[in-house]
Amino acid sequence: MFAVSTALALAGGTASAQTALPKNDYARPETWLCRPDKTADACAVDLTTTVVRADGTETVEAFKADPKAPIDCFYVYPTVSMDPGVVSDMTAGPEELNVVKQQLARFGAKCRIYAPLYRQFTLTGLRAMILGQPLPGSNDPAVRQVGYNDVVDAWTYYIAHENKGRGVVLIGHSQGSGVLTRLIAAEIDGKPAQKLLVSALLLGTRLPVTEGKDTGLFKSIPTCHSASQTGCAIAYATFRDTVPPPANSRFGRVEGMPGMEAACVNPANLSGGSGELKAYLSNGSEIAASSGPRPPWVQGKPDPKTPFVSVPGLLTAQCVSKNGFNYLEAHVNADPADPRTDDIAGDVVTGGKVSADWGLHLIDANIAMGNLVDVVGEEAKAWLAKR
Protein backbone atom coordinates (compact mmCIF):
# COMPACT_ATOMS: atom_id res chain seq x y z
CA MET A 1 0.00 0.00 0.00
CA PHE A 2 2.22 2.80 1.17
CA ALA A 3 5.36 3.29 3.22
CA VAL A 4 4.74 5.51 6.24
CA SER A 5 7.80 7.67 5.66
CA THR A 6 6.72 8.12 2.07
CA ALA A 7 3.12 8.71 3.10
CA LEU A 8 4.05 11.55 5.42
CA ALA A 9 6.38 13.04 2.83
CA LEU A 10 3.78 12.93 0.09
CA ALA A 11 1.17 14.37 2.44
CA GLY A 12 3.64 17.13 3.21
CA GLY A 13 5.19 19.88 1.20
CA THR A 14 5.26 23.44 2.44
CA ALA A 15 2.19 25.41 3.32
CA SER A 16 3.14 28.04 0.75
CA ALA A 17 3.61 25.64 -2.16
CA GLN A 18 1.29 26.43 -5.03
CA THR A 19 0.20 24.46 -8.07
CA ALA A 20 -1.29 25.35 -11.41
CA LEU A 21 -4.16 22.93 -10.90
CA PRO A 22 -7.54 24.54 -10.28
CA LYS A 23 -9.31 24.02 -6.98
CA ASN A 24 -12.01 21.38 -6.78
CA ASP A 25 -15.55 22.49 -6.05
CA TYR A 26 -16.56 20.26 -3.16
CA ALA A 27 -20.09 21.62 -3.28
CA ARG A 28 -20.52 19.24 -6.24
CA PRO A 29 -21.56 15.70 -5.23
CA GLU A 30 -19.34 14.20 -7.95
CA THR A 31 -16.22 15.37 -6.08
CA TRP A 32 -17.09 12.89 -3.31
CA LEU A 33 -16.96 9.11 -3.24
CA CYS A 34 -19.45 9.04 -0.38
CA ARG A 35 -21.75 11.80 0.83
CA PRO A 36 -25.24 11.45 2.30
CA ASP A 37 -26.91 13.35 -0.56
CA LYS A 38 -25.13 11.46 -3.36
CA THR A 39 -27.38 9.43 -5.65
CA ALA A 40 -24.68 6.97 -6.74
CA ASP A 41 -22.89 6.64 -3.42
CA ALA A 42 -19.77 4.47 -3.39
CA CYS A 43 -20.52 3.44 0.20
CA ALA A 44 -23.91 1.98 -0.73
CA VAL A 45 -22.47 -1.48 -1.35
CA ASP A 46 -23.14 -5.07 -0.35
CA LEU A 47 -21.38 -5.79 2.95
CA THR A 48 -23.06 -9.12 3.64
CA THR A 49 -20.75 -11.35 5.68
CA THR A 50 -20.50 -15.08 6.23
CA VAL A 51 -19.53 -15.86 9.82
CA VAL A 52 -17.30 -18.96 9.76
CA ARG A 53 -16.87 -20.57 13.17
CA ALA A 54 -14.07 -22.87 14.27
CA ASP A 55 -16.21 -25.99 13.79
CA GLY A 56 -16.85 -25.03 10.17
CA THR A 57 -20.47 -23.96 10.62
CA GLU A 58 -21.55 -20.84 8.80
CA THR A 59 -24.19 -18.17 9.26
CA VAL A 60 -24.91 -15.09 7.19
CA GLU A 61 -24.76 -11.64 8.77
CA ALA A 62 -26.62 -8.84 7.00
CA PHE A 63 -25.58 -5.20 7.12
CA LYS A 64 -27.66 -2.05 7.14
CA ALA A 65 -26.42 1.50 7.27
CA ASP A 66 -28.11 3.99 9.59
CA PRO A 67 -29.21 7.07 7.61
CA LYS A 68 -30.06 8.77 10.91
CA ALA A 69 -26.68 8.13 12.55
CA PRO A 70 -25.97 10.85 15.15
CA ILE A 71 -22.38 11.64 14.11
CA ASP A 72 -20.33 11.87 10.91
CA CYS A 73 -17.23 10.11 9.59
CA PHE A 74 -14.75 11.89 7.30
CA TYR A 75 -12.43 9.50 5.44
CA VAL A 76 -9.25 9.89 3.39
CA TYR A 77 -8.26 6.80 1.43
CA PRO A 78 -4.77 5.31 1.01
CA THR A 79 -2.55 5.13 -2.07
CA VAL A 80 -4.62 3.16 -4.55
CA SER A 81 -4.86 5.17 -7.76
CA MET A 82 -3.55 3.45 -10.87
CA ASP A 83 -3.87 6.61 -12.95
CA PRO A 84 -0.82 7.40 -15.11
CA GLY A 85 1.51 10.07 -13.80
CA VAL A 86 2.11 11.05 -10.19
CA VAL A 87 -1.15 12.87 -9.42
CA SER A 88 -4.50 11.15 -9.81
CA ASP A 89 -7.52 12.62 -11.53
CA MET A 90 -10.89 13.22 -9.89
CA THR A 91 -12.64 10.25 -11.47
CA ALA A 92 -13.22 7.26 -9.22
CA GLY A 93 -11.81 4.07 -10.68
CA PRO A 94 -12.34 0.49 -9.50
CA GLU A 95 -9.50 0.91 -7.01
CA GLU A 96 -11.11 3.86 -5.21
CA LEU A 97 -14.48 2.12 -5.23
CA ASN A 98 -12.99 -1.05 -3.77
CA VAL A 99 -11.09 0.66 -0.99
CA VAL A 100 -14.17 2.39 0.44
CA LYS A 101 -15.94 -0.97 0.38
CA GLN A 102 -13.07 -2.57 2.28
CA GLN A 103 -12.22 0.21 4.73
CA LEU A 104 -15.12 2.61 5.13
CA ALA A 105 -18.66 1.61 4.21
CA ARG A 106 -19.22 -0.52 7.34
CA PHE A 107 -18.88 2.60 9.50
CA GLY A 108 -22.21 3.63 7.96
CA ALA A 109 -23.87 1.69 10.78
CA LYS A 110 -22.63 4.37 13.22
CA CYS A 111 -22.09 7.58 11.24
CA ARG A 112 -23.01 9.52 8.14
CA ILE A 113 -20.09 9.12 5.74
CA TYR A 114 -18.14 11.80 3.88
CA ALA A 115 -15.29 10.63 1.65
CA PRO A 116 -13.85 13.20 -0.76
CA LEU A 117 -12.06 12.31 -3.93
CA TYR A 118 -8.63 13.94 -3.94
CA ARG A 119 -5.71 14.20 -6.34
CA GLN A 120 -3.43 11.85 -4.48
CA PHE A 121 0.11 10.79 -5.22
CA THR A 122 -0.59 7.67 -7.27
CA LEU A 123 0.36 4.06 -6.76
CA THR A 124 1.84 4.33 -10.25
CA GLY A 125 4.18 7.07 -9.05
CA LEU A 126 5.03 5.25 -5.84
CA ARG A 127 5.97 2.03 -7.61
CA ALA A 128 8.19 3.95 -10.01
CA MET A 129 9.95 5.58 -7.04
CA ILE A 130 10.50 2.23 -5.34
CA LEU A 131 12.06 0.91 -8.55
CA GLY A 132 14.39 3.91 -8.67
CA GLN A 133 12.71 5.29 -11.80
CA PRO A 134 10.71 8.27 -10.50
CA LEU A 135 8.19 9.81 -12.85
CA PRO A 136 8.35 13.51 -13.76
CA GLY A 137 7.13 15.61 -10.86
CA SER A 138 7.74 12.96 -8.19
CA ASN A 139 10.04 15.24 -6.20
CA ASP A 140 8.27 18.54 -6.88
CA PRO A 141 7.02 20.00 -3.56
CA ALA A 142 4.09 21.63 -5.35
CA VAL A 143 3.00 18.27 -6.79
CA ARG A 144 3.22 16.68 -3.36
CA GLN A 145 1.02 19.45 -1.99
CA VAL A 146 -1.91 18.86 -4.34
CA GLY A 147 -3.60 16.02 -2.45
CA TYR A 148 -3.31 17.75 0.90
CA ASN A 149 -4.74 20.98 -0.51
CA ASP A 150 -7.71 19.03 -1.87
CA VAL A 151 -8.46 17.38 1.47
CA VAL A 152 -8.20 20.73 3.28
CA ASP A 153 -10.68 22.19 0.78
CA ALA A 154 -13.03 19.22 1.27
CA TRP A 155 -12.77 19.50 5.05
CA THR A 156 -13.38 23.27 4.92
CA TYR A 157 -16.47 22.72 2.77
CA TYR A 158 -17.72 19.97 5.08
CA ILE A 159 -17.32 22.10 8.22
CA ALA A 160 -18.98 25.14 6.62
CA HIS A 161 -21.90 23.41 4.90
CA GLU A 162 -22.45 19.87 6.14
CA ASN A 163 -21.33 19.48 9.75
CA LYS A 164 -23.86 21.70 11.54
CA GLY A 165 -22.29 21.05 14.94
CA ARG A 166 -22.25 17.25 14.68
CA GLY A 167 -19.47 15.15 16.11
CA VAL A 168 -17.05 13.74 13.55
CA VAL A 169 -14.67 10.79 13.39
CA LEU A 170 -11.67 11.19 11.08
CA ILE A 171 -10.62 7.95 9.39
CA GLY A 172 -7.54 7.38 7.24
CA HIS A 173 -5.15 4.69 6.13
CA SER A 174 -1.56 5.01 4.90
CA GLN A 175 -1.31 8.10 2.64
CA GLY A 176 -4.76 9.02 3.91
CA SER A 177 -3.52 8.84 7.50
CA GLY A 178 -0.54 11.01 6.59
CA VAL A 179 -2.82 13.64 5.07
CA LEU A 180 -5.16 13.55 8.07
CA THR A 181 -2.26 13.73 10.53
CA ARG A 182 -1.14 16.94 8.91
CA LEU A 183 -4.68 18.32 8.71
CA ILE A 184 -5.34 17.57 12.40
CA ALA A 185 -2.10 19.25 13.47
CA ALA A 186 -2.79 22.36 11.38
CA GLU A 187 -6.57 22.72 11.42
CA ILE A 188 -7.95 20.91 14.51
CA ASP A 189 -5.46 20.48 17.35
CA GLY A 190 -6.04 23.39 19.72
CA LYS A 191 -8.46 25.03 17.25
CA PRO A 192 -12.27 25.56 17.47
CA ALA A 193 -12.90 22.45 15.33
CA GLN A 194 -11.42 20.27 18.07
CA LYS A 195 -14.70 20.43 19.99
CA LEU A 196 -16.29 18.44 17.14
CA LEU A 197 -13.69 15.66 17.18
CA VAL A 198 -15.13 12.36 18.39
CA SER A 199 -11.90 10.55 17.52
CA ALA A 200 -9.28 10.06 14.81
CA LEU A 201 -8.60 6.58 13.42
CA LEU A 202 -5.16 6.79 11.83
CA LEU A 203 -4.40 3.32 10.49
CA GLY A 204 -1.24 2.03 8.85
CA THR A 205 0.85 4.98 9.98
CA ARG A 206 3.29 6.07 12.66
CA LEU A 207 1.75 8.85 14.68
CA PRO A 208 4.59 10.50 16.65
CA VAL A 209 4.08 10.64 20.42
CA THR A 210 6.58 11.54 23.11
CA GLU A 211 8.20 8.39 24.48
CA GLY A 212 6.02 6.99 27.24
CA LYS A 213 3.33 9.64 26.70
CA ASP A 214 0.03 9.80 24.82
CA THR A 215 0.59 13.17 23.16
CA GLY A 216 3.39 14.43 20.96
CA LEU A 217 2.85 15.77 17.46
CA PHE A 218 -0.72 16.46 18.58
CA LYS A 219 -0.45 18.72 21.61
CA SER A 220 -3.99 18.39 22.95
CA ILE A 221 -5.29 15.23 21.26
CA PRO A 222 -4.08 12.16 23.21
CA THR A 223 -4.20 8.54 22.19
CA CYS A 224 -7.38 6.70 23.23
CA HIS A 225 -7.51 4.51 26.34
CA SER A 226 -11.22 3.66 26.46
CA ALA A 227 -14.29 3.74 24.24
CA SER A 228 -15.87 6.33 26.53
CA GLN A 229 -13.01 8.75 25.81
CA THR A 230 -13.55 11.29 23.05
CA GLY A 231 -11.30 13.75 21.25
CA CYS A 232 -8.55 11.12 21.07
CA ALA A 233 -6.64 9.14 18.43
CA ILE A 234 -6.29 5.46 17.59
CA ALA A 235 -3.17 4.70 15.57
CA TYR A 236 -1.36 1.47 14.75
CA ALA A 237 0.44 -0.58 12.11
CA THR A 238 -0.07 -4.35 12.03
CA PHE A 239 2.48 -7.18 11.86
CA ARG A 240 2.14 -10.91 12.38
CA ASP A 241 3.75 -12.22 15.55
CA THR A 242 5.56 -14.73 13.32
CA VAL A 243 6.90 -11.99 11.00
CA PRO A 244 7.97 -9.03 13.16
CA PRO A 245 9.23 -5.82 11.56
CA PRO A 246 12.77 -6.20 10.22
CA ALA A 247 15.37 -3.46 10.64
CA ASN A 248 14.28 -1.82 7.39
CA SER A 249 10.59 -1.81 8.31
CA ARG A 250 8.45 0.93 6.87
CA PHE A 251 6.33 1.07 10.03
CA GLY A 252 6.53 1.04 13.81
CA ARG A 253 9.07 3.77 14.57
CA VAL A 254 9.57 7.49 14.11
CA GLU A 255 12.67 8.65 12.30
CA GLY A 256 14.30 12.06 12.61
CA MET A 257 12.32 13.07 15.71
CA PRO A 258 14.42 12.40 18.84
CA GLY A 259 12.38 11.51 21.91
CA MET A 260 9.41 10.42 19.81
CA GLU A 261 8.01 6.95 19.19
CA ALA A 262 5.22 5.53 17.04
CA ALA A 263 1.87 5.38 18.80
CA CYS A 264 0.14 2.02 19.05
CA VAL A 265 -3.42 1.71 20.29
CA ASN A 266 -5.00 -1.74 20.16
CA PRO A 267 -8.53 -1.35 18.74
CA ALA A 268 -9.41 -4.71 20.32
CA ASN A 269 -8.43 -3.49 23.80
CA LEU A 270 -8.00 0.26 24.11
CA SER A 271 -6.88 0.02 27.74
CA GLY A 272 -3.93 -2.21 26.84
CA GLY A 273 -3.21 -5.92 26.68
CA SER A 274 -4.51 -8.51 24.26
CA GLY A 275 -7.94 -8.59 22.66
CA GLU A 276 -9.90 -10.52 20.04
CA LEU A 277 -9.88 -8.97 16.59
CA LYS A 278 -13.30 -8.78 14.97
CA ALA A 279 -12.04 -8.97 11.41
CA TYR A 280 -14.12 -8.49 8.28
CA LEU A 281 -11.93 -10.09 5.65
CA SER A 282 -12.43 -9.84 1.93
CA ASN A 283 -13.82 -12.97 0.32
CA GLY A 284 -12.36 -11.84 -2.99
CA SER A 285 -9.30 -9.75 -3.69
CA GLU A 286 -7.81 -7.72 -0.85
CA ILE A 287 -7.19 -3.99 -1.07
CA ALA A 288 -4.30 -4.57 -3.47
CA ALA A 289 -3.43 -7.36 -5.86
CA SER A 290 -0.03 -7.76 -4.19
CA SER A 291 -1.48 -9.81 -1.33
CA GLY A 292 -0.73 -13.51 -1.38
CA PRO A 293 -3.09 -16.43 -2.06
CA ARG A 294 -5.76 -17.23 0.50
CA PRO A 295 -6.44 -20.75 1.76
CA PRO A 296 -10.04 -22.08 1.74
CA TRP A 297 -12.11 -20.85 4.66
CA VAL A 298 -13.21 -24.39 5.59
CA GLN A 299 -11.47 -27.58 4.56
CA GLY A 300 -13.55 -29.63 2.16
CA LYS A 301 -16.22 -26.95 1.66
CA PRO A 302 -16.64 -24.41 -1.14
CA ASP A 303 -16.04 -20.82 -0.12
CA PRO A 304 -19.15 -18.78 0.71
CA LYS A 305 -20.50 -16.33 -1.85
CA THR A 306 -20.74 -13.25 0.36
CA PRO A 307 -18.24 -10.41 -0.20
CA PHE A 308 -16.90 -10.65 3.37
CA VAL A 309 -16.06 -13.37 5.88
CA SER A 310 -15.79 -13.10 9.66
CA VAL A 311 -13.75 -15.63 11.65
CA PRO A 312 -14.60 -15.24 15.38
CA GLY A 313 -11.87 -16.43 17.73
CA LEU A 314 -9.24 -16.87 15.03
CA LEU A 315 -7.33 -13.60 15.54
CA THR A 316 -6.05 -11.75 18.59
CA ALA A 317 -3.74 -8.75 18.88
CA GLN A 318 -1.76 -6.66 21.32
CA CYS A 319 0.48 -3.61 21.07
CA VAL A 320 4.14 -4.52 21.62
CA SER A 321 7.46 -2.73 21.82
CA LYS A 322 10.22 -4.88 20.37
CA ASN A 323 13.62 -4.11 18.86
CA GLY A 324 12.89 -0.39 18.70
CA PHE A 325 9.47 -0.79 17.07
CA ASN A 326 5.96 -0.18 18.44
CA TYR A 327 3.27 -2.03 16.55
CA LEU A 328 0.08 -4.07 16.67
CA GLU A 329 1.11 -7.71 16.85
CA ALA A 330 -1.51 -10.04 15.37
CA HIS A 331 -1.68 -13.70 16.34
CA VAL A 332 -3.54 -16.43 14.43
CA ASN A 333 -5.06 -18.94 16.85
CA ALA A 334 -4.48 -21.85 14.53
CA ASP A 335 -6.02 -25.19 15.42
CA PRO A 336 -5.14 -27.94 12.95
CA ALA A 337 -7.77 -30.14 14.60
CA ASP A 338 -10.69 -27.98 13.47
CA PRO A 339 -11.83 -27.60 9.85
CA ARG A 340 -11.60 -23.80 9.66
CA THR A 341 -8.63 -22.12 8.01
CA ASP A 342 -5.50 -21.71 10.11
CA ASP A 343 -4.27 -18.63 8.27
CA ILE A 344 -5.37 -15.43 6.54
CA ALA A 345 -4.18 -13.48 3.53
CA GLY A 346 -2.90 -9.91 3.76
CA ASP A 347 0.87 -9.97 3.41
CA VAL A 348 2.54 -8.01 0.64
CA VAL A 349 4.00 -10.65 -1.66
CA THR A 350 6.61 -9.80 -4.28
CA GLY A 351 8.01 -12.46 -6.57
CA GLY A 352 6.41 -15.16 -4.45
CA LYS A 353 8.12 -13.90 -1.27
CA VAL A 354 6.53 -12.07 1.68
CA SER A 355 7.85 -8.52 2.07
CA ALA A 356 8.27 -8.51 5.85
CA ASP A 357 8.86 -4.76 6.05
CA TRP A 358 5.25 -4.09 5.00
CA GLY A 359 3.66 -6.28 7.68
CA LEU A 360 -0.11 -6.70 7.26
CA HIS A 361 -0.43 -3.19 5.87
CA LEU A 362 -2.93 -4.25 3.23
CA ILE A 363 -5.48 -5.31 5.85
CA ASP A 364 -4.80 -2.82 8.68
CA ALA A 365 -8.47 -1.80 8.44
CA ASN A 366 -10.07 -5.17 7.66
CA ILE A 367 -8.37 -7.02 10.49
CA ALA A 368 -9.95 -4.83 13.19
CA MET A 369 -13.00 -3.46 11.36
CA GLY A 370 -15.57 -4.82 13.82
CA ASN A 371 -13.63 -3.47 16.77
CA LEU A 372 -13.29 -0.04 15.18
CA VAL A 373 -16.99 0.16 14.32
CA ASP A 374 -17.90 -0.83 17.88
CA VAL A 375 -15.53 1.79 19.31
CA VAL A 376 -17.00 4.50 17.09
CA GLY A 377 -20.49 3.56 18.27
CA GLU A 378 -19.47 3.84 21.94
CA GLU A 379 -17.54 7.07 21.35
CA ALA A 380 -20.57 8.56 19.64
CA LYS A 381 -22.69 7.89 22.73
CA ALA A 382 -20.00 9.39 24.96
CA TRP A 383 -19.61 12.50 22.78
CA LEU A 384 -23.36 13.10 22.67
CA ALA A 385 -23.62 12.64 26.44
CA LYS A 386 -21.08 15.42 26.97
CA ARG A 387 -22.89 17.99 24.86
Side-chain angles (χ1 to χ4, degrees):
M1 189 65 23
F2 208 76
V4 173
S5 56
T6 310
L8 292 176
L10 300 182
T14 62
S16 61
Q18 301 294 319
T19 74
L21 294 175
K23 280 181 171 289
N24 293 316
D25 180 3
Y26 283 101
R28 299 167 55 202
E30 58 265 34
T31 58
W32 298 79
L33 281 162
C34 307
R35 201 171 90 174
D37 64 344
K38 233 176 115 64
T39 302
D41 194 288
C43 288
V45 290
D46 182 9
L47 299 177
T48 307
T49 301
T50 298
V51 180
V52 179
R53 294 178 176 81
D55 63 3
T57 58
E58 300 176 1
T59 56
V60 175
E61 176 186 289
F63 173 83
K64 185 177 181 180
D66 181 3
K68 297 182 179 180
I71 63 167
D72 296 341
C73 287
F74 185 95
Y75 169 76
V76 183
Y77 50 89
T79 311
V80 293
S81 176
M82 294 299 295
D83 291 345
V86 296
V87 176
S88 68
D89 60 27
M90 286 291 290
T91 301
E95 59 271 39
E96 287 91 355
L97 298 177
N98 181 53
V99 80
V100 296
K101 180 177 182 178
Q102 298 291 334
Q103 295 191 341
L104 177 64
R106 200 169 296 275
F107 286 98
K110 306 297 180 183
C111 57
R112 299 189 313 178
I113 296 177
Y114 292 82
L117 282 160
Y118 72 107
R119 289 169 290 194
Q120 69 168 208
F121 195 97
T122 62
L123 190 57
T124 308
L126 173 62
R127 287 174 172 170
M129 287 178 64
I130 291 173
L131 294 173
Q133 302 170 344
L135 300 177
S138 292
N139 296 311
D140 182 347
V143 169
R144 297 185 179 210
Q145 182 79 1
V146 172
Y148 176 74
N149 287 346
D150 284 351
V151 173
V152 170
D153 289 343
W155 171 254
T156 301
Y157 173 83
Y158 161 77
I159 289 295
H161 300 282
E162 300 285 338
N163 177 265
K164 297 178 172 58
R166 292 164 61 91
V168 58
V169 177
L170 300 177
I171 306 171
H173 181 248
S174 200
Q175 181 177 176
S177 289
V179 170
L180 281 179
T181 297
R182 187 179 170 203
L183 181 142
I184 292 168
E187 305 290 336
I188 298 173
D189 189 15
K191 305 291 177 60
Q194 187 173 339
K195 69 180 184 295
L196 304 173
L197 182 67
V198 176
S199 67
L201 311 183
L202 304 174
L203 317 180
T205 192
R206 54 179 188 184
L207 175 65
V209 293
T210 303
E211 292 177 358
K213 306 292 184 180
D214 58 6
T215 56
L217 179 66
F218 301 156
K219 305 304 181 186
S220 57
I221 299 173
T223 52
C224 297
H225 295 286
S226 77
S228 62
Q229 182 182 0
T230 60
C232 56
I234 294 173
Y236 63 86
T238 318
F239 287 82
R240 293 179 185 267
D241 56 356
T242 54
V243 189
N248 68 333
S249 176
R250 303 165 186 273
F251 308 97
R253 65 183 174 189
V254 175
E255 298 174 353
M257 299 179 72
M260 294 285 190
E261 62 186 10
C264 182
V265 178
N266 182 1
N269 188 347
L270 298 183
S271 62
S274 182
E276 180 181 337
L277 291 169
K278 299 178 181 179
Y280 282 87
L281 302 170
S282 175
N283 195 25
S285 62
E286 300 296 342
I287 295 172
S290 52
S291 59
R294 176 181 55 75
W297 295 110
V298 180
Q299 294 176 16
K301 288 180 65 174
D303 282 345
K305 302 299 183 182
T306 57
F308 290 91
V309 167
S310 174
V311 283
L314 183 63
L315 301 167
T316 53
Q318 62 181 339
C319 284
V320 299
S321 297
K322 295 181 178 179
N323 301 319
F325 293 92
N326 294 337
Y327 58 95
L328 187 67
E329 182 183 74
H331 174 71
V332 181
N333 298 301
D335 184 356
D338 71 39
R340 188 174 64 181
T341 181
D342 288 328
D343 203 1
I344 60 169
D347 304 278
V348 174
V349 177
T350 305
K353 183 179 178 181
V354 170
S355 298
D357 53 329
W358 285 95
L360 290 175
H361 190 62
L362 299 179
I363 58 170
D364 279 317
N366 300 74
I367 203 167
M369 180 57 65
N371 308 92
L372 293 167
V373 171
D374 288 347
V375 167
V376 166
E378 292 303 309
E379 288 177 332
K381 294 176 185 177
W383 188 86
L384 291 166
K386 294 174 183 177
R387 295 194 69 186

